[in-house]
Amino acid sequence: MTDMTKDKYKVQFADAVSAASRNLFPDAHKAMGDKELFDSETLYGSLVKPKDASMGRFAFPVFKYAGLLKSKPPEIASKIADEANRILDRSDTASIIRVVAAGGFLNGQVDTSVLTRETLKAVLIGENAYGSSELGKDKTYLVEYSSPNIAKPFGVMHLRSTVLGNSLRRIYKKLGYTTVGINYPGDWGTQFGKMIVAYQKWGTEKDLKGEAVKNLLALYVRFHDEAKTDNSLEDQAREAFKKLEQGDPECVRLWQLFKDVSHAEFDRVYGLLGVEFDWVYGESKLNDKMEPVIQRLEKAGLTEISEGALVVKLPDENLPPVLLRRGDGATLYATRDLAGMVYRWEEYPLFHESLYIVNVAQTDHFKQCMNVIAMLEDAERAPSDHRMSGRMKHVDFGWLRFGDQTMSTRGGNIVLLEEVIDKAAELAREKIVEKNPDLKKIDETAHIIGLGAVIFSQLSLRRQRDIDFQWDEVLSFEGETGPYLQYTHARLCSLMRKYDRPVPVDVDFSLLSGDEEQRVIELLADFPKVIQDAGEQYEPFFISTHLLRLAAAFNKVYQRKDEEGSIDKIISDNDTLTGARIALVKAVQLVINEGLYLLGLEAPEEM
């Protein structure tokens, strides 16, 4: 098993255990087949982390083989360990990897001096490229995220989708995929009829200058307030949207103005967040792409008329039919998304995966659409390797609770994202002044920390969990927060400034054999696999958790005391020891820096 994206120690372990199992249990191996039992690929994918790090770097459980082999798990593990070590003794890895039986587990132990030397050199030489791979070579990821509505302010309700998608875009690029970040703003629908009517009745050209998007929201809110007593407004809005669909010059002009001021505002907010996209198109882009998809569905015999509407009924009884076209001829949200799925497949044929980073509330909608695509490809007998169904994923996430505020666009009750960032920066500034009043560029640093705190709050939990945003927790310089990681990074940079020499790559690695240093080394060595796991599970949370563990492990080294009870300083009069420790410092700084980048955070050098 040779693969440059894999951990070579795990590969060697898996190959040795696989070979040992074949030697010991040939009959069982033949009966089950390579992929079922002792295949090295299967073994590699089944490796787990021992709860006690001193037991080894990785472990393979053998419990499920007890019945097949008619033996107790500890006995199976013991036999395989002895045979695997005999195999390793005949290879050039004998002094590096050992297989140790521990109950029902086979633990892989790696020589600490070799692991330390190879890991630190890989980080120090690779710098921010450490953890990159060719896993995604010649494969394309499409990642849709953010997708706010035109003529509406950018509120915190868009925060999770935006930062999750931005992080995943960076992660897939790191893994070698061609990655296309997609922003799909809502720029079509009956709400624009309402906006046009509201603007024509109460708006002026001045409303499209300055805080234009807030002014448009105020008009939208006024429309709904007035409509409570004036029933004719809804009819006027429907007529205005119909005129927009028919290309009425004035309606199109206003709609384009609404789009222009909205995109300008969105771009400004994305600039504050450090968020980028590769492909931006709105719902209106799909206006001429829906009918061809409907025709394909009709030709495939998948549509029927139900109560005057054109629908596709699904085999899943838990899902309602997909409404393609109403009795009045109007298409719907699902029609547009189906057209969008086909459009992306046409633009990026054979993409590896297409992700939709959208709130959990849209779960059934995406199930419906993806079911329709699968049914269409079945009906058209598309070759199995040329199907987009199965490659599209709804990457859902939980709700963001912001205190006791209920957000409603119609009611105008929106918590603006920029206001959240500004408040975070203000609170961060207060903490900086308290801890380091002489810091240069306090305002710039406060923005970096405040923004980092807000972003990290969304990525420090698994995406499917709901988040209750609490200021005191988010902005803490201690505990599991963005500022804590940024502060650790700044501390590492401070140590290197104090060292004030080129960081050595070749050092006496045996000086880093303490338990505290070895925990740091192990976490550094695991970083590439963590990035891969984050991509496979669509979970930047894996990276944020790993960085917190790495920072905590390093801080134990930093705060360690010597035999006399004094702080065992990183930089001392012993140049050889200092060189080894500063190499470790630099490696940790590089990994935290790159990890923060993958999450979408900046890494300040001073705080």
Side-chain angles (χ1 to χ4, degrees):
M1 180 172 63
T2 302
D3 187 337
M4 294 301 291
T5 66
K6 293 182 179 294
D7 183 315
K8 69 176 184 179
Y9 301 121
K10 291 182 179 179
V11 170
Q12 292 164 359
F13 173 86
D15 287 347
V17 170
S18 177
S21 302
R22 286 189 180 91
N23 294 345
L24 293 169
F25 312 111
D27 293 339
H29 180 75
K30 289 178 183 178
M32 294 298 292
D34 286 356
K35 293 297 182 183
E36 289 287 336
L37 187 57
F38 299 127
D39 175 73
S40 58
E41 289 281 356
T42 304
L43 280 164
Y44 186 96
S46 301
L47 295 179
V48 296
K49 202 79 172 167
K51 292 182 179 180
D52 183 353
S54 67
M55 297 296 292
R57 277 197 36 77
F58 36 80
F60 176 66
V62 300
F63 300 96
K64 67 178 181 179
Y65 303 115
L68 176 68
L69 300 177
K70 297 180 175 57
S71 185
K72 295 179 179 178
E75 294 174 357
I76 297 172
S78 180
K79 288 179 181 179
I80 294 177
D82 289 343
E83 179 65 14
N85 286 326
R86 277 193 287 271
I87 292 171
L88 288 169
D89 285 341
R90 297 193 294 271
S91 71
D92 57 5
T93 61
S95 62
I96 300 174
I97 288 186
R98 304 307 292 167
V99 181
V100 178
F105 288 88
L106 289 165
N107 291 339
Q109 296 184 339
V110 182
D111 182 271
T112 56
S113 63
V114 175
L115 182 65
T116 300
R117 180 180 68 250
E118 294 192 353
T119 299
L120 284 185
K121 282 195 170 186
V123 179
L124 295 173
I125 293 172
E127 296 187 329
N128 289 104
Y130 178 66
S132 300
S133 79
E134 296 184 356
L135 185 70
K137 185 177 180 181
D138 300 326
K139 297 176 183 177
T140 299
Y141 252 106
L142 307 184
V143 186
E144 179 197 309
Y145 51 104
S146 195
S147 305
N149 290 319
I150 295 298
K152 310 286 174 60
F154 201 105
V156 293
M157 74 279 283
H158 300 296
L159 177 60
R160 291 195 80 178
S161 172
T162 303
V163 300
L164 274 166
N166 186 59
S167 178
L168 287 172
R169 174 182 178 270
R170 293 183 177 190
I171 288 168
Y172 294 127
K173 283 181 176 290
K174 180 80 171 176
L175 293 172
Y177 292 92
T178 298
T179 307
V180 183
I182 302 173
N183 195 3
Y184 177 59
D187 68 351
W188 200 250
T190 55
Q191 70 267 30
F192 288 98
K194 298 175 182 180
M195 284 301 312
I196 290 169
V197 170
Y199 182 81
Q200 289 176 332
K201 285 184 174 293
W202 310 300
T204 67
E205 291 291 333
K206 289 182 180 179
D207 289 322
L208 298 178
K209 303 184 186 305
E211 295 187 327
V213 177
K214 287 184 179 179
N215 296 335
L216 291 176
L217 174 64
L219 290 172
Y220 186 72
V221 172
R222 182 172 178 179
F223 176 93
H224 284 281
D225 287 341
E226 298 278 352
K228 292 175 183 177
T229 55
D230 185 352
N231 295 330
S232 70
L233 284 175
E234 293 286 354
D235 292 333
Q236 293 177 49
R238 281 189 285 272
E239 179 62 25
F241 181 59
K242 184 177 180 180
K243 290 169 68 176
L244 175 62
E245 288 184 302
Q246 294 171 342
D248 176 82
E250 177 60 12
C251 289
V252 171
R253 184 186 75 85
L254 290 177
W255 172 71
Q256 189 62 52
L257 283 172
F258 299 158
K259 285 207 307 176
D260 289 345
V261 298
S262 297
H263 278 295
E265 175 65 7
F266 294 158
D267 289 345
R268 189 181 66 80
V269 174
Y270 291 135
L272 290 174
L273 290 170
V275 169
E276 297 177 333
F277 300 94
D278 306 292
W279 190 16
V280 180
Y281 69 89
E283 292 181 30
S284 59
K285 178 73 173 178
L286 304 174
N287 283 345
D288 62 349
K289 305 184 189 308
M290 289 182 285
E291 191 57 33
V293 173
I294 292 175
Q295 291 174 4
R296 283 177 63 185
L297 291 167
E298 289 177 325
K299 184 178 179 181
L302 297 176
T303 62
E304 59 184 87
I305 301 297
S306 176
E307 298 181 5
L310 186 68
V311 304
V312 175
K313 290 188 176 179
L314 303 175
D316 187 342
E317 295 180 354
N318 295 317
L319 293 174
V322 176
L323 189 58
L324 298 176
R325 191 163 51 208
R326 288 200 309 242
D328 62 5
T331 53
L332 293 103
Y333 185 51
T335 327
R336 204 169 292 276
D337 263 355
L338 289 169
M341 289 171 175
V342 173
Y343 177 45
R344 294 179 190 184
W345 184 248
E346 291 171 345
E347 293 293 310
Y348 292 92
L350 300 181
F351 55 64
H352 180 65
E353 283 192 342
S354 179
L355 307 184
Y356 295 82
I357 319 294
V358 183
N359 183 273
V360 67
Q362 295 295 316
T363 296
D364 282 352
H365 166 75
F366 282 107
K367 284 182 180 178
Q368 288 176 293
C369 291
M370 292 174 188
N371 265 276
V372 170
I373 293 295
M375 292 167 63
L376 178 61
E377 291 182 326
D378 284 343
E380 294 179 338
R381 297 184 179 180
S384 59
D385 58 345
H386 280 67
R387 294 186 177 213
M388 61 174 153
S389 56
R391 304 185 190 213
M392 297 179 294
K393 309 288 183 184
H394 173 210
V395 180
D396 60 342
F397 56 86
W399 296 93
L400 171 61
R401 293 192 295 269
F402 204 84
D404 57 358
Q405 290 181 276
T406 302
M407 287 168 275
S408 165
T409 303
R410 291 186 176 187
N413 185 18
I414 295 178
V415 179
L416 299 180
L417 179 57
E418 187 173 3
E419 291 178 356
V420 173
I421 294 172
D422 288 345
K423 183 175 180 181
E426 178 185 335
L427 294 175
R429 191 183 194 284
E430 293 175 4
K431 290 181 178 290
I432 292 172
V433 170
E434 176 186 332
K435 291 177 175 287
N436 188 7
D438 297 325
L439 178 69
K440 298 176 182 178
K441 300 181 180 179
I442 285 183
D443 290 336
E444 179 181 330
T445 303
H447 172 76
I448 290 172
I449 296 169
L451 176 60
V454 171
I455 293 174
F456 194 82
S457 71
Q458 308 303 299
L459 303 178
S460 59
L461 296 174
R462 290 186 180 273
R463 59 180 166 79
Q464 291 179 319
R465 286 186 57 180
D466 294 342
I467 292 177
D468 189 6
F469 194 95
Q470 300 289 341
W471 284 111
D472 290 343
E473 296 176 7
V474 168
L475 282 169
S476 174
F477 280 61
E478 299 176 356
E480 300 181 349
T481 67
Y484 168 69
L485 286 176
Q486 291 172 318
Y487 183 66
T488 300
H489 181 269
R491 174 182 283 175
L492 293 160
C493 291
S494 176
L495 284 168
M496 288 186 291
R497 284 194 300 273
K498 186 177 180 181
Y499 182 69
D500 196 27
R501 279 171 281 171
V503 176
V505 174
D506 289 306
V507 298
D508 186 347
F509 296 103
S510 67
L511 296 174
L512 301 174
S513 60
D515 290 344
E516 293 90 349
E517 288 94 346
Q518 283 302 302
R519 175 59 177 157
V520 173
I521 296 294
E522 184 171 302
L523 289 165
L524 292 173
D526 287 342
F527 185 58
K529 180 61 166 58
V530 169
I531 299 172
Q532 186 176 332
D533 289 345
E536 289 176 352
Q537 300 296 319
Y538 322 114
E539 276 286 14
F541 158 80
F542 290 159
I543 294 176
S544 61
T545 301
H546 191 75
L547 294 184
L548 289 168
R549 289 172 179 162
L550 178 59
F554 168 76
N555 282 324
K556 285 186 178 180
V557 174
Y558 183 77
Q559 296 168 359
R560 180 177 51 193
K561 295 183 179 180
D562 59 24
E563 295 177 354
E564 298 178 356
S566 301
I567 294 294
D568 191 4
K569 296 181 179 180
I570 300 289
I571 299 174
S572 66
D573 294 335
N574 186 330
D575 289 343
T576 303
L577 179 59
T578 297
R581 289 179 172 178
I582 211 71
L584 183 66
V585 166
K586 179 63 176 177
V588 175
Q589 181 266 323
L590 286 167
V591 167
I592 290 181
N593 183 290
E594 183 64 6
L596 288 174
Y597 169 78
L598 292 175
L599 295 174
L601 279 71
E602 290 190 57
E605 296 187 2
E606 292 185 81
M607 277 177 65

